[in-house]
Amino acid sequence: MTTVSTTTRLGGGEGSGLQAVLLDMDGTLVDTEDFWWQAEASLFAELGHRLDQADRARVVGGPMTRVIDYLVARTGVSLSPAELTVLINQRFVDLLAGGVPLMPGAELLLNTLNAHGVPAALVSASHRHIIDIVLESLGAHHFAFTVAGDEVARTKPHPDPYLAAVARFGAEPARCVVVEDAPTGVLAAEAAGCPVIAVPSVAVIEPGPGRTVLSSLEQVDLELLRSLTAARV
């Protein structure tokens, strides 16, 4: 895991209020939501339970504890949450073996942040070992540090992961833009006090105060990021 000190230079320069950008991973930067769904749906099919698209909308964005609680309540499966977590995670890892596709616009966005000296952090509900695998395709060098779902007391939709990232930067929530794809992540970011760019992958996300909803990361540029924090400082 890469690290950052509180002396890391923050901000987007040129008088911007932007201090950092905090990015979700699955469904936001990498096209892995289908992988998670395949892992969950195939396992439960083998256990005799067919999941549908309504279930998919409920489980998108994790975290695993919430997903497992929902699927157990939905199906009444007899396996323990710990057993289901291991089985789903292993299926997901197996699917990653063929490589991880990036979402359209992800590489350009990360390169733009680096080129303009805007610090970025990866903040995911996925566990550390999953993040480390995905970083092989995504590129750890793009991020000052990463925050995993099993490294905080409460993960998304609680604000803890984003508050941890903001504190680690020594920044202010209102000056750190979060980029998310799922309702759970949006709720976490908003609870932390961060402006949010939502690019929905599966579940619908409606626009709202402090929330900008776009159809693609390709629409996210430095001007937009800076404008979202300038409005708050």
Side-chain angles (χ1 to χ4, degrees):
M1 175 177 60
T2 54
T3 59
V4 66
S5 72
T6 55
T7 59
T8 297
R9 186 171 68 86
L10 297 176
E14 302 170 14
S16 170
L18 179 65
Q19 290 184 312
V21 177
L22 314 177
L23 301 118
D24 175 54
M25 186 177 75
D26 296 296
T28 299
L29 292 177
V30 289
D31 192 6
T32 50
E33 289 296 358
D34 281 347
F35 289 1
W36 280 116
W37 177 243
Q38 289 176 44
E40 294 153 358
S42 65
L43 173 63
F44 276 81
E46 291 177 11
L47 296 172
H49 304 281
R50 182 179 179 277
L51 304 180
D52 57 28
Q53 289 301 308
D55 297 315
R56 183 177 187 181
R58 293 289 298 273
V59 302
V60 65
M64 185 61 73
T65 51
R66 182 184 66 84
V67 171
I68 295 299
D69 287 346
Y70 169 78
L71 291 175
V72 169
R74 159 79 167 78
T75 64
V77 68
S78 60
L79 292 178
S80 71
E83 291 172 317
L84 289 169
T85 297
V86 169
L87 291 172
I88 291 173
N89 272 326
Q90 187 55 58
R91 288 187 182 222
F92 181 75
V93 169
D94 291 343
L95 289 168
L96 294 180
V100 183
L102 271 60
M103 297 296 288
E107 185 172 10
L108 176 59
L109 174 59
L110 293 173
N111 288 338
T112 298
L113 296 177
N114 286 344
H116 290 271
V118 181
L122 187 69
V123 183
S124 176
S126 290
H127 289 189
R128 168 55 51 195
H129 73 284
I130 297 291
I131 290 178
D132 288 343
I133 293 172
V134 173
L135 282 175
E136 294 177 12
S137 296
L138 190 56
H141 64 282
H142 289 299
F143 308 101
F145 58 87
T146 61
V147 178
D150 55 342
E151 295 172 343
V152 290
R154 302 181 305 172
T155 190
K156 305 172 187 179
H158 298 288
D160 304 37
Y162 285 115
L163 289 174
V166 169
R168 197 162 171 180
F169 272 129
E172 303 170 28
R175 298 178 66 184
C176 296
V177 177
V178 169
V179 184
E180 273 280 357
D181 78 298
T184 50
V186 170
L187 290 174
E190 291 177 341
C194 299
V196 180
I197 294 175
V199 184
S201 62
V202 177
V204 174
I205 300 174
E206 298 293 342
R211 180 192 307 174
T212 301
V213 181
L214 304 174
S215 60
S216 171
L217 281 183
E218 295 171 306
Q219 299 171 271
V220 181
D221 57 22
L222 201 54
E223 182 180 1
L224 173 60
L225 292 166
R226 286 172 172 164
S227 71
L228 296 178
T229 54
R232 295 193 174 202
V233 297

